[in-house]
Amino acid sequence: MPNKTKSAFCLAFVLACALECASFNAASAENYFLACSTSKFKQKNLNADHYPLRSASQLSSAWRDLVSSQKFCTLDDELATKSEIMSKLGPGWLAQNVHDKDSVFIFLSLPCFPSDHKKAVYLLPYDTEPENLDKTAIRLEQILDSVKKLKAKNTIVFIEGPFAGAVEAIGADDCWFGTYNLIVDKKTESAIEKSKNLVLVLSSKENQPTTSGAFFQIMSKELANLPEATSLYNVFERVKIKLMEQTKANCKVCKGQIPVLYGKALAKRLNLGPSCLIPSSCE
């Protein structure tokens, strides 16, 4: 074969390989997992026995068993500061790595500071300062604003907000607080439904306290024992029934903790089922 012909053949082969690799890379998708849990605080007077330990990490691990290609980052207790959480959610890890074919899964288990008359409700990171909640705690709109800026194909956000107060204040018919959990107003709910690429799941209704880590625990067990592939919405409905039964049984005056899902369109499309596990770190 003449040298020119050989060169042309080699060039064509190289270009073909490059195009094939480019096509494969463009089609590949990654799954990003961020799990943040707070069971204790820098200011020890905020500590309480009923805060679940590494609850978000456990649910994230159960979910990761269902997908193949993945990258994950875990922030527990001392690592779960406001700056670290918001950096990973905002301009940091997710924003710098996520592309338009990727999926993002966010699990937050942060005690929720209750409010009266539907004022601001806060999630409490490790370094929360009670006297300066607006600057040291996290509001739902801050989380959603960060999520909206991601280029992800789909974003799933689970938030467990254990009641940040005395357990004795839970369960009375005449609630001590007007609001116990995060508030999703009609405008935000409508925006989530219209986006069709976001699911937000909260551990209880806004006027109900989340009393423990039962929601994430039940969800983890459900994911670990899926008999067959099914939608996220179907899994959520099963978990909701089990959570209501369990929390009602544990509290004689409670009506049962009811979790809430926003973004039904995506939840009904997103199928879950067992797959292989290929972990990597978030660094």
Side-chain angles (χ1 to χ4, degrees):
M1 185 181 292
N3 288 337
K4 287 186 178 179
T5 304
K6 285 183 178 179
S7 298
F9 177 79
C10 290
L11 179 60
F13 179 77
V14 170
L15 288 173
C17 288
L19 287 172
E20 183 178 351
C21 290
S23 176
F24 174 81
N25 289 333
S28 63
E30 198 71 73
N31 295 289
Y32 287 85
F33 291 81
L34 175 62
C36 307
S37 301
T38 301
S39 61
K40 62 181 180 180
F41 295 92
K42 185 176 182 180
Q43 292 200 21
K44 300 189 183 305
N45 61 313
L46 291 175
N47 292 341
D49 293 337
H50 65 277
Y51 297 152
L53 182 65
R54 297 184 177 86
S55 185
S57 306
Q58 293 171 14
L59 179 54
S60 174
S61 179
W63 200 295
R64 283 177 9 231
D65 286 344
L66 302 177
V67 301
S68 53
S69 183
Q70 62 181 259
K71 295 185 178 181
F72 62 89
C73 186
T74 300
L75 302 173
D76 286 328
D77 291 333
E78 291 89 348
L79 297 179
T81 63
K82 180 178 180 179
S83 61
E84 278 298 311
I85 294 172
M86 295 311 300
S87 174
K88 292 292 189 292
L89 282 171
W93 181 58
L94 290 176
Q96 293 173 10
N97 291 281
V98 172
H99 299 288
D100 59 3
K101 292 184 182 296
D102 299 334
S103 294
V104 173
F105 302 87
I106 298 168
F107 306 93
L108 304 176
S109 179
L110 306 172
C112 186
F113 188 80
S115 172
D116 196 9
H117 305 300
K118 297 197 174 183
K119 296 178 181 178
V121 182
Y122 298 94
L123 293 172
L124 309 184
Y126 175 75
D127 55 345
T128 296
E129 297 175 4
E131 69 278 4
N132 196 9
L133 285 175
D134 198 52
K135 290 186 177 180
T136 63
I138 301 172
R139 300 189 307 276
L140 177 61
E141 54 264 33
Q142 292 175 302
I143 297 170
L144 295 180
D145 285 345
S146 295
V147 165
K148 289 175 186 175
K149 296 174 184 177
L150 297 176
K151 300 175 183 178
K153 178 181 178 182
N154 299 315
T155 302
I156 317 299
V157 181
F158 276 80
I159 302 178
E160 177 180 68
F163 173 60
V167 179
E168 292 77 12
I170 299 173
D173 289 332
D174 52 340
C175 292
W176 291 18
F177 301 96
T179 302
Y180 281 92
N181 209 344
L182 298 173
I183 301 169
V184 177
D185 57 32
K186 293 296 181 182
K187 182 179 179 181
T188 302
E189 180 179 357
S190 177
I192 293 173
E193 296 295 341
K194 289 179 180 178
S195 72
K196 296 184 179 180
N197 66 347
L198 172 63
V199 173
L200 172 65
V201 182
L202 304 180
S203 54
S204 63
K205 293 182 176 181
E206 65 182 54
N207 62 348
Q208 288 184 317
T210 293
T211 58
S212 65
F215 177 48
F216 277 15
Q217 290 168 7
I218 295 172
M219 176 66 74
S220 297
K221 290 179 181 178
E222 196 70 25
L223 293 176
N225 296 286
L226 285 177
E228 58 186 11
T230 186
S231 71
L232 168 58
Y233 184 78
N234 287 340
V235 173
F236 170 79
E237 287 297 311
R238 292 204 295 264
V239 170
K240 180 170 72 172
I241 292 172
K242 292 181 179 180
L243 178 66
M244 291 173 62
E245 292 174 347
Q246 178 174 313
T247 52
K248 188 174 182 179
N250 292 342
C251 178
K252 294 181 180 180
V253 295
C254 296
K255 298 178 181 178
Q257 182 180 321
I258 304 174
V260 188
L261 183 148
Y262 303 94
K264 291 182 181 179
L266 175 57
K268 290 180 178 180
R269 293 200 319 269
L270 184 63
N271 286 321
L272 308 177
S275 182
C276 59
L277 177 62
I278 308 175
S280 64
S281 72
C282 64
E283 299 300 329

